[in-house]
């Protein structure tokens, strides 16, 4: 078998592969050459430079696995690979320590004015009084996102005698206690921290989650760190806040556009800011780690063994896959819907299957539900292999139940969760080949798991639904479909709208405040 290694993969990974297979190394591989030579290879390993497009995958004749030596897989067309039965793997943990340590380094450099002090020393200046810093000891660190990196930062911060406030929609008290941190709301972190570091994925919800509105609520002298994703902290607002002294200092490793435009990024001209060129994963050890991780995955896959870092699909027999494949997207959307309804951390998940589907192994469908629940908040992409482990890490109890009898549908999937002490439930089935949500809590509905769903429990009286429609239409939000769910509870209905446009947070709050509306939740499946 032949393996193509592109983009300057660390020699340590190459050496492992060479013990098993013929390896061709192409450190700088033009797109045209990749298209030309890909039919000859069984495996491809890349970093970020090579673009593994649908055209490349279509040209591949023998390709069984694509390995990404790193976390992000944006340069690989995963749907095209999955459709052709090609496994895609990455190395989600290979650079965790590097990113964690870089975050700590940025905090220390910022708090002690190390970059500017070094620069002025080289100019022959001696400014001891000018660059007096602050200590980490005794300060409160707010960690936004408690995945692997956020948890690692919290652990190291406590070694500096810092107090840690942690915001993560999916961390519960048990997990927080084990980590030694205090769970807080996002607003509590914003308002009570001396240092704030973000470790969230960049999504529709997290883009600009720290902007001028939040910065004005922060403590005087607050210092911000972003070594996660560019755009989580609004760059223009941060630059202005630094100029006005609202934020004392900042340390930034990631940018909305990389490299940042020389005259277009306001952070380049802002005072009291430490900037590095996306160095979070740039250590010798991390580069070796990701190459070795991916090399081991490729070796396992080419020997027909399961790969724990697959980002598209876990091994399933063709017979079982034929039965469950139509339900995979539905199961994931049910998970995403129920988490969109939750007001607190998920404590437990129970998935119940009814009907003919109970005759096959439904484990992958349960994993799809967990994937849908975790995807909105995880730093690295959740996949069908790592979702159960990630749920366990977060203290989420997952169970599966089967009941052959099904009264109303040939097959039915029910997802029950406990979140913040409250039980929530959604049900779905297939109508032909189309997935439908047929129940939300106690309300019977018939809803396409659309990209954006607005769910509003409301009082059953004339004019309430029309008022919501008028408000959304007046703000440029098109309603593509509407369902009204009923329940035995007199006087209360559930309005479910599928909408074609994003609903800003301010508009959602306006909907909630309307007379007769009990609540409004936006379930948004669009990726950024």
């Amino acid at each position: 078998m032949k393996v193509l290694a592109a983009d300057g993969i660390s020699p340590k990974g190459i050496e492992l592969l060479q013990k098993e297979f013929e390896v061709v190394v192409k450190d700088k591989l033009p797109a045209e050459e990749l298209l030309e030579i890909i039919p000859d290879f069984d495996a491809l390993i890349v970093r970020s430079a090579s673009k593994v497009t649908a055209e490349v995958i279509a040209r591949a004749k023998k390709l069984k696995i694509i390995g990404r030596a790193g976390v992000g897989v944006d340069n690989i067309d995963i749907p095209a690979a999955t459709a052709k039965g090609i496994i895609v793997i990455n190395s989600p943990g290979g650079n965790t320590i590097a990113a964690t340590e870089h975050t700590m380094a940025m905090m220390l450099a910022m708090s002690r004015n190390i970059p500017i002090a070094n620069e002025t020393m080289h100019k022959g200046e001696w400014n001891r009084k000018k660059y007096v810093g602050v200590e980490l000891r005794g300060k409160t660190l707010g960690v936004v996102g408690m995945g692997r990196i956020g948890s690692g930062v919290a652990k190291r911060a406590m070694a500096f005698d810092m107090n840690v406030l942690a915001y993560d929609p999916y961390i519960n008290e048990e997990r927080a206690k084990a980590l030694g941190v205090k769970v807080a709301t996002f607003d509590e972190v914003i308002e009570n921290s001396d240092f704030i570091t973000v470790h969230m994925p960049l999504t529709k919800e997290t883009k600009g989650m720290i902007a001028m509105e939040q910065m004005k609520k922060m403590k005087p002298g607050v210092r911000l760190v972003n070594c996660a994703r560019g755009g989580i902290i609004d760059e223009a607002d941060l630059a202005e806040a630094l100029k006005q002294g609202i934020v004392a200092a900042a340390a930034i490793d990631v940018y909305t556009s990389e490299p940042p435009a020389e005259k277009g990024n306001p952070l380049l001209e802002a005072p009291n800011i430490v900037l590095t060129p996306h160095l979070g994963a740039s250590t010798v050890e991390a580069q070796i780690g990701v190459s070795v991780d991916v090399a081991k995955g490729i070796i396992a896959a080419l020997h027909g063994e399961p790969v724990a870092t697959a980002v598209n699909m876990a091994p399933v027999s063709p017979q079982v896959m034929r039965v469950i494949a139509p339900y995979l997207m539905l199961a994931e959307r049910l998970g995403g819907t129920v988490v969109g309804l939750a007001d607190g951390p998920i404590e437990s998940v129970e998935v119940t299957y009814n009907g003919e589907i109970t005759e096959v192994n439904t484990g992958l469908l349960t994993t799809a539900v967990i994937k849908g629940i975790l995807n909105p908040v995880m730093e690295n992409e959740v996949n069908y292999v790592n979702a159960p482990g990630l749920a366990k890490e977060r203290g989420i109890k997952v169970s599966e139940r089967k009941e052959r009898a099904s009264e109303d549908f040939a097959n039915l999937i029910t997802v029950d969760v406990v979140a913040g002490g409250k039980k929530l439930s959604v049900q779905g089935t297939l109508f032909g080949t189309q997935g439908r949500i047929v129940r939300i809590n106690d309300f019977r509905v018939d809803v396409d798991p659309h990209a954006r769903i607005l769910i509003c429990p409301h009082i059953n009286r004339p004019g309430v639904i029309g008022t919501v429609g008028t408000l959304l239409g007046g703000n440029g939000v098109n309603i593509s479909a509407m369902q009204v769910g009923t329940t035995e509870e007199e006087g209360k209905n559930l309005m479910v709208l599928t909408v074609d446009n994003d609903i800003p947070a301010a508009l959602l709050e306006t909907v909630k405040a309307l007379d007769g509306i009990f609540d409004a939740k936006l379930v948004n499946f669009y990726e950024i």
Side-chain angles (χ1 to χ4, degrees), residues 275-351:
L275 303 175
T276 52
H278 204 150
L279 297 180
S282 295
T283 64
V284 172
E285 295 86 349
Q287 296 307 308
I288 292 173
V290 295
S291 71
V292 169
D293 284 352
V294 172
K296 289 179 178 178
I298 287 175
I299 292 168
L302 292 183
H303 284 312
E305 300 169 2
V307 185
T309 56
V311 300
N312 55 346
M313 192 64 66
V316 176
S317 72
Q319 296 83 0
V320 171
M321 182 57 71
R322 278 195 293 269
V323 176
I324 69 173
Y327 293 90
L328 282 170
M329 181 57 71
L330 172 64
E332 187 169 336
R333 291 294 172 91
L334 289 173
T337 299
V338 76
V339 78
L341 296 170
D343 288 321
I346 302 294
E347 300 164 27
S348 65
V349 180
E350 182 179 69
V351 186

Side-chain angles (χ1 to χ4, degrees), residues 212-501:
M212 185 61 77
E213 179 184 351
Q214 288 73 36
M215 294 175 199
K216 287 182 176 179
K217 297 177 182 178
M218 294 177 183
K219 294 175 68 173
V222 70
R223 288 165 168 80
L224 306 183
V225 184
N226 185 7
C227 293
R229 295 289 187 272
I232 295 175
I233 300 177
D234 186 282
E235 292 176 342
D237 286 359
L238 176 58
E240 184 60 29
L242 288 165
K243 291 175 183 177
Q244 294 184 27
I246 297 170
V247 172
I252 305 296
D253 185 49
V254 289
Y255 310 88
T256 53
S257 177
E258 296 186 356
E262 185 174 344
K263 294 183 180 180
N265 192 309
L267 296 180
L268 298 176
E269 304 297 328
N272 302 323
I273 188 167
V274 178
L275 303 175
T276 52
H278 204 150
L279 297 180
S282 295
T283 64
V284 172
E285 295 86 349
Q287 296 307 308
I288 292 173
V290 295
S291 71
V292 169
D293 284 352
V294 172
K296 289 179 178 178
I298 287 175
I299 292 168
L302 292 183
H303 284 312
E305 300 169 2
V307 185
T309 56
V311 300
N312 55 346
M313 192 64 66
V316 176
S317 72
Q319 296 83 0
V320 171
M321 182 57 71
R322 278 195 293 269
V323 176
I324 69 173
Y327 293 90
L328 282 170
M329 181 57 71
L330 172 64
E332 187 169 336
R333 291 294 172 91
L334 289 173
T337 299
V338 76
V339 78
L341 296 170
D343 288 321
I346 302 294
E347 300 164 27
S348 65
V349 180
E350 182 179 69
V351 186
T352 303
Y353 300 94
N354 293 86
E356 299 168 0
I357 199 171
T358 58
E359 297 176 3
V360 300
N361 186 341
T362 52
L364 190 61
L365 290 177
T366 299
T367 300
V369 172
I370 301 304
K371 183 174 183 289
I373 287 173
L374 294 178
N375 251 333
V377 295
M378 296 300 294
E379 291 170 67
N380 305 319
E381 184 173 351
V382 184
N383 59 60
Y384 286 97
V385 176
N386 67 12
L390 292 172
K392 186 176 181 180
E393 281 182 12
R394 282 168 142 61
I396 301 173
K397 298 176 177 64
V398 180
S399 59
E400 180 181 306
R401 194 158 55 93
K402 292 183 178 181
E403 297 178 359
R404 183 65 178 82
S406 180
E407 296 181 4
D408 299 321
F409 304 98
N411 292 291
L412 186 68
I413 302 175
T414 304
V415 179
D416 295 311
V417 307
V418 176
K422 181 180 178 182
K423 185 175 180 180
L424 302 166
S425 180
V426 294
Q427 290 182 327
T429 189
L430 293 185
F431 291 167
T433 59
Q434 300 298 313
R436 310 291 289 186
I437 298 172
V438 296
R439 184 179 289 276
I440 298 175
N441 292 326
D442 295 327
F443 297 93
R444 286 291 300 267
V445 295
D446 179 9
V447 180
D448 176 13
H450 196 268
R452 296 186 185 92
I453 308 171
L454 180 62
I455 302 171
C456 300
H458 62 94
I459 193 168
N460 183 19
R461 73 179 183 211
V464 175
I465 295 174
T467 302
V468 174
T470 300
L471 175 62
L472 294 179
N475 284 272
V477 178
N478 185 59
I479 299 172
S480 57
M482 185 189 77
Q483 271 278 313
V484 176
T486 60
T487 181
E488 293 180 0
E489 185 178 345
E490 187 175 352
K492 187 175 181 181
N493 283 352
L494 185 75
M495 182 192 335
V496 185
L497 308 175
T498 54
V499 296
D500 295 331
N501 314 93

Side-chain angles (χ1 to χ4, degrees), residues 28 50 170 225 281 339:
K28 294 183 179 180
S50 292
Y170 295 97
V225 184
V339 78

